[in-house]
Amino acid sequence: MHWNTVRPIAAIAGYAALCCLAIGPGCASAAELLKARLAQNLGPISGLAIVAKSKGIFEKNGLDITVSNFTSGKQCLDTVIGGGADIATTAEAPVTASAMANQPIAFIAGMEYSDLKTVVAAKAGVKTKAELRGKRIGFTAGTGSEVYTATLLKSAGLTAKDVTLVNLRPQEMLPALAAGSIDAIDTWEPHIANAKKALGEAVAELDTTGTYSETFNIVVMKTYLDANPAVVEKFIAALIDAEV
């Protein structure tokens, strides 16, 4: 099943730009592991970080990474901004919003992209984007889901006034769809696949190909980047190894 397509890690910024490729697995035994806290969206889009943790690749690159899992990149970035973690995996919408709010964040790397999708209740009778008019749509505010929803409505010739938007966390969407309190969900994997698997013929995926594809990124605070260049270098090196 196609969920996310992994692309080569790009846009390595700041201190990581020149140094990360020089750090190899052999360096881990030469020094004490450096500790860092990762706020991670637990989903396919965080695949590189998940592989790096599960396969011991962080340790091979000299890191001791403690992982806290969340259901959206916005939660991850908010946790880093609030001081509860050091590194976030997060999509472009929360990064953009934080930058526009003058939060002192540092964009370290872009690692993957993901197509957001729509699943509709079969009884809603929605076959095309235009038929979303008058329907109740679950989305997650402040995330790529919100950007996708706005883009989807515009492409269908609709506005937010033509539908009922219901702000839900990703994990709340499947129960709401099953209960009939909403007609459709706009979100990312694995929630789309989970809904189709759990509800079977009671739901269908709407064809929204090409509507919106978000990047997924590694972000820290600027103060953290300045104080911990070695951690950032090793973290990016571990992700490159995990991609291989």
Side-chain angles (χ1 to χ4, degrees), residues 182-238:
I182 56 175
D183 303 303
I185 59 174
D186 290 348
T187 191
W188 52 82
E189 297 291 4
H191 308 290
I192 294 293
N194 289 343
K196 292 163 65 177
K197 181 178 180 181
L199 302 180
E201 295 182 356
V203 298
E205 184 178 337
L206 196 64
D207 183 7
T208 62
T209 303
T211 298
Y212 177 68
S213 184
E214 65 180 2
T215 63
F216 214 63
N217 313 293
I218 302 299
V219 176
V220 300
M221 303 305 290
K222 289 181 179 178
T223 53
Y224 185 84
L225 178 62
D226 290 340
N228 299 276
V231 173
V232 174
E233 294 160 9
K234 292 173 182 290
F235 190 89
I236 297 301

Side-chain angles (χ1 to χ4, degrees), residues 57-77:
I57 297 173
F58 284 133
E59 287 81 359
K60 291 179 181 178
N61 281 275
L63 295 175
D64 177 6
I65 300 294
T66 301
V67 178
S68 296
N69 289 313
F70 298 88
T71 57
S72 76
K74 182 179 186 302
Q75 291 174 307
C76 296
L77 186 54

